Amino acid sequence: MMIKNGLNKCLQKKFIVNNKLFYSSQAKPTRDSSYAIINNNDIEHFKTILDSHSIITDASEIDGFNQDWMKKYKGNSNLVLKPKTTDQVSKILKYCNDKKIAVVPQGGNTGMVGGSVPVHDEIILSLSNMSKIEKFDPVTGVVVCQAGTVLETIDSYLSPMGYTVPLDLGAKGSCQIGGNVSTNAGGLRLLRYGSLHGNVLGVEAVLADGTILDCLSTLRKDNTGYDLKQLFIGSEGTLGIITKVAMITPPKPTSVNVGLFACQDFNQVKTVLSRAKSQLGDILSAFEFMDRPCIDLVLKHQQVQDPFDEKSPFYILLETSGFNETHDSEKLNSFLESIMAENLIIDGSLATDSKNISAFWKLRESITESLGKEGAVYKYDLSLPIEQFYSIVELMRAKFNDKANVVGFGHVGDGNLHLNISTPKKPYSKEIFDMIEPFVYQYTSEHRGSISAEHGVGLMKPDFLHYSKSNNSINLMKSIKNTMDPNNILNPYKVLPK
Ligand code: FAD
Ligand code: MLT
Ligand code: ZN
């Protein structure tokens, strides 16, 4: 799926109450006046570092970089810089740090929390021109590439050599590996391959003062003190700009099956999950769920068919990936027999060829795009214990009644719920935000969940961070930020509360 700036006409709009912009129930932060305002001398200086094609000052060209794909967050930058080398990134940051000019790193701009666009007039440092795959070792499966390489490009490069990327997400055609690492993106196969904290072996990053930090190890094992690369994984561009990534990639499975199952209630979904884990074990590669309102939305906006004759409240998309077709089918068939014998599903269908597999995945992967076509969408990305997983969707549905469409889907196999609330054909409204926040965060905190399972904190959630992090943790995060970026030039207003 390809999502590019402006291509996706998702209709979300910022809204104004008492002349303050709101992106959540909190107001947009005011500009920190200690940052310099860029002038012609600065641009002349950047011309000594970059060629003229890599410096964008034309307002209409900058527009797409100033705004996120949901059209929810909009900044006001006058300058986009597109370096091609780590050395250029270093020179740009050194200059910005000396002059106290704020900078926002931008990858594919597919993020969900407003992290990749400026809040005010920060310089946008786009990694798009740094898209070289530098090395691949066919024995270890380690790939090294520049941060701006698009995820799908890496996968297409690896595929003929029998390898694949260890993460997969609906935005793969646009998101970049540097953006994935900076957000610690989860996605559809985390269940199988684990998080980027485990799969990323090394990172090259440029610190706020221009120092190039070479942590680009390609080793699986390296216990030489603090694992510094981990600081950049999930810190959303606030601690440094990732310029290169070394990542371990798994062999590409040769036998893939996808099952779509319908369930009567969420208890059945839970039990099927537990059976899938114990009976399918190493071949289980995805376990996603979606409720019926998600399917209705996808049917409304995409060219897809209702998967079964009867409608059901819940659907599971289960994928197995392995290397021995006979072995995998036997395992899957005996799993199917057992869940049917126990009446854990009311309907089911298996896809073994690539056309049907894609059709099943389309149902799941196009939920986001379909929601975007509806109206303002209020998106929440929560980690919750399985016992409380779906109750929050029911609570919100009861709260909103006919006022909004409340849907639940996501990576149930990883305990990650996507709770989305849409108000068809309506702009964002403070009234709706106030019905959701901080209630959803309080609920999550009460159940020791996380207010951001995979999308990050960005501009949307700094004021709510305390629902998932203790004061001591937030203070330590602030002191790490202060040590690494004392002038606070990197992605200001994001992640950390004031
Ligand atoms: P951006 O959106 O450009 O940036 C994200 C953050 O990283 C920003 O804070 C930015 O400043 C920072 N950043 C970007 N590049 C760098 C760099 N080189 N160095 C330092 N900081 C940098 N996310 C998931 O986790 N799981 C999903 O399943 C998932 N599915 C999605 C499906 C769709 C259809 C869409 C549109 C999005 C989805 N996302 C998902 C969200 C998004 O795609 C991910 O967060 C992705 O990792 C962002 O990558 P990007 O290159 O677009 O980064
Ligand atoms: C997904 O899993 O599809 C995403 O994280 C996108 C979303 O939450 O909309
Ligand atoms: Zn997701």
Side-chain angles (χ1 to χ4, degrees):
M1 170 182 198
M2 230 18 205
I3 297 192
K4 278 279 167 210
N5 294 332
L7 266 190
N8 192 309
K9 300 239 179 314
C10 293
L11 28 80
Q12 307 199 13
K13 290 193 176 69
K14 60 188 184 282
F15 65 98
I16 300 175
V17 178
N18 297 333
N19 289 327
K20 280 184 181 160
L21 287 169
F22 284 79
Y23 295 118
S24 70
S25 55
Q26 310 295 304
K28 172 172 170 165
T30 48
R31 186 180 185 279
D32 177 344
S33 58
S34 68
Y35 292 121
I37 294 175
I38 52 163
N39 58 37
N40 278 341
N41 292 340
D42 301 321
I43 294 178
E44 288 308 311
H45 181 80
F46 292 128
K47 284 184 184 163
T48 67
I49 304 173
L50 302 175
D51 62 53
S52 58
H53 301 295
S54 307
I55 301 177
I56 306 178
T57 50
D58 176 75
S60 62
E61 258 188 85
I62 295 176
D63 221 38
F65 293 87
N66 261 323
Q67 190 155 46
D68 74 316
W69 69 274
M70 301 180 291
K71 307 227 184 301
K72 182 177 179 188
Y73 302 95
K74 189 158 169 63
N76 200 23
S77 180
N78 301 312
L79 182 62
V80 179
L81 300 177
K82 298 176 83 177
K84 293 187 175 122
T85 66
T86 302
D87 192 49
Q88 288 176 340
V89 176
S90 163
K91 286 184 174 135
I92 293 167
L93 286 196
K94 184 178 179 345
Y95 181 82
C96 291
N97 192 50
D98 291 346
K99 296 271 176 188
K100 208 172 172 201
I101 297 173
V103 178
V104 52
Q106 187 173 98
N109 200 8
T110 66
M112 301 269 184
V113 290
S116 53
V117 290
V119 180
H120 297 287
D121 55 351
E122 300 90 277
I123 289 181
I124 299 167
L125 195 145
S126 163
L127 277 297
S128 301
N129 277 344
M130 296 182 66
S131 57
K132 275 199 210 85
I133 299 176
E134 297 199 332
K135 257 197 308 202
F136 175 67
D137 181 331
V139 177
T140 59
V142 177
V143 67
V144 179
C145 47
Q146 282 187 304
T149 316
V150 169
L151 183 62
E152 198 168 53
T153 307
I154 308 176
D155 200 45
S156 308
Y157 166 86
L158 293 172
S159 183
M161 290 178 285
Y163 282 87
T164 186
V165 286
L167 81 158
D168 188 14
L169 50 154
K172 56 185 162 279
S174 302
C175 64
Q176 302 175 359
I177 191 65
N180 298 145
V181 174
S182 302
T183 52
N184 187 27
L188 304 160
R189 302 223 165 76
L190 187 137
L191 180 72
R192 170 70 168 270
Y193 299 119
S195 93
L196 286 174
H197 280 294
N199 289 309
V200 172
L201 303 182
V203 152
E204 177 192 80
V206 179
L207 302 183
D209 66 359
T211 303
I212 299 172
L213 193 70
D214 179 357
C215 296
L216 198 63
S217 168
T218 53
L219 306 171
R220 287 274 354 230
K221 299 182 81 173
D222 174 16
N223 279 353
T224 49
Y226 307 147
D227 190 358
L228 296 175
K229 69 167 183 288
Q230 297 295 348
L231 284 173
F232 301 96
I233 305 175
S235 54
E236 301 177 57
T238 59
L239 298 181
I241 294 193
I242 297 175
T243 44
K244 288 183 191 170
V245 173
M247 178 170 68
I248 183 107
T249 68
K252 189 180 172 70
T254 49
S255 140
V256 178
N257 298 295
V258 174
L260 193 72
F261 308 126
C263 294
Q264 192 54 52
D265 54 43
F266 194 71
N267 268 332
Q268 290 189 330
V269 176
K270 278 192 307 206
T271 317
V272 176
L273 171 61
S274 119
R275 297 287 186 281
K277 281 186 168 175
S278 59
Q279 293 180 31
L280 296 171
D282 59 326
I283 61 165
L284 181 64
S285 54
F287 193 101
E288 299 285 315
F289 100 105
M290 46 216 150
D291 62 15
R292 180 66 208 183
C294 288
I295 300 285
D296 289 334
L297 270 174
V298 173
L299 293 177
K300 183 170 161 194
H301 295 291
Q302 317 285 335
Q303 298 286 329
V304 286
Q305 282 190 331
D306 210 339
F308 305 113
D309 295 339
E310 301 287 320
K311 293 180 180 184
S312 300
F314 294 97
Y315 297 82
I316 295 168
L317 187 153
L318 177 153
E319 184 191 74
T320 65
S321 312
F323 297 90
N324 182 329
E325 234 176 283
T326 320
H327 161 271
D328 294 1
S329 319
E330 273 170 18
K331 254 185 151 171
L332 191 56
N333 285 332
S334 82
F335 162 74
L336 279 179
E337 275 166 27
S338 88
I339 57 170
M340 286 192 297
E342 280 191 79
N343 289 323
L344 292 174
I345 55 172
I346 31 182
D347 222 330
S349 174
L350 268 191
T352 48
D353 62 273
S354 60
K355 193 170 156 230
N356 288 326
I357 288 177
S358 305
F360 281 180
W361 270 115
K362 188 166 181 190
L363 279 173
R364 166 64 184 85
E365 288 195 282
S366 50
I367 299 172
T368 303
E369 196 185 328
S370 308
L371 272 161
K373 289 182 172 161
E374 279 286 288
V377 185
Y378 304 78
K379 299 178 85 68
Y380 296 86
D381 160 44
L382 313 169
S383 269
L384 282 167
I386 197 77
E387 288 313 316
Q388 283 83 32
F389 195 83
Y390 196 71
S391 317
I392 183 69
V393 181
E394 291 165 333
L395 279 173
M396 294 313 286
R397 209 167 266 152
K399 205 169 176 178
F400 277 103
N401 209 353
D402 289 344
K403 235 177 161 168
N405 187 20
V406 179
V407 309
F409 65 101
H411 320 288
V412 63
D414 308 313
N416 178 186
L417 170 74
H418 293 314
L419 164 71
N420 283 229
I421 297 163
S422 68
T423 50
K425 300 199 174 84
K426 296 218 172 95
Y428 277 115
S429 122
K430 176 145 173 63
E431 188 200 343
I432 302 283
F433 268 126
D434 287 345
M435 283 174 75
I436 309 171
E437 300 174 5
F439 176 79
V440 162
Y441 298 134
Q442 278 161 351
Y443 176 94
T444 306
S445 176
E446 272 160 27
H447 298 292
R448 294 193 65 79
S450 170
I451 64 159
S452 171
E454 59 174 9
H455 294 161
V457 179
L459 181 59
M460 182 182 170
K461 299 175 214 169
D463 291 328
F464 303 107
L465 197 60
H466 63 276
Y467 285 105
S468 285
K469 285 258 189 297
S470 67
N471 283 341
N472 287 344
S473 304
I474 293 175
N475 288 339
L476 184 57
M477 282 168 72
K478 283 182 173 172
S479 82
I480 293 170
K481 168 76 175 170
N482 200 31
T483 302
M484 294 178 70
D485 180 16
N487 285 343
N488 194 22
I489 61 156
L490 286 174
N491 223 355
Y493 320 105
K494 318 274 176 66
V495 182
L496 290 163
K498 256 201 174 160

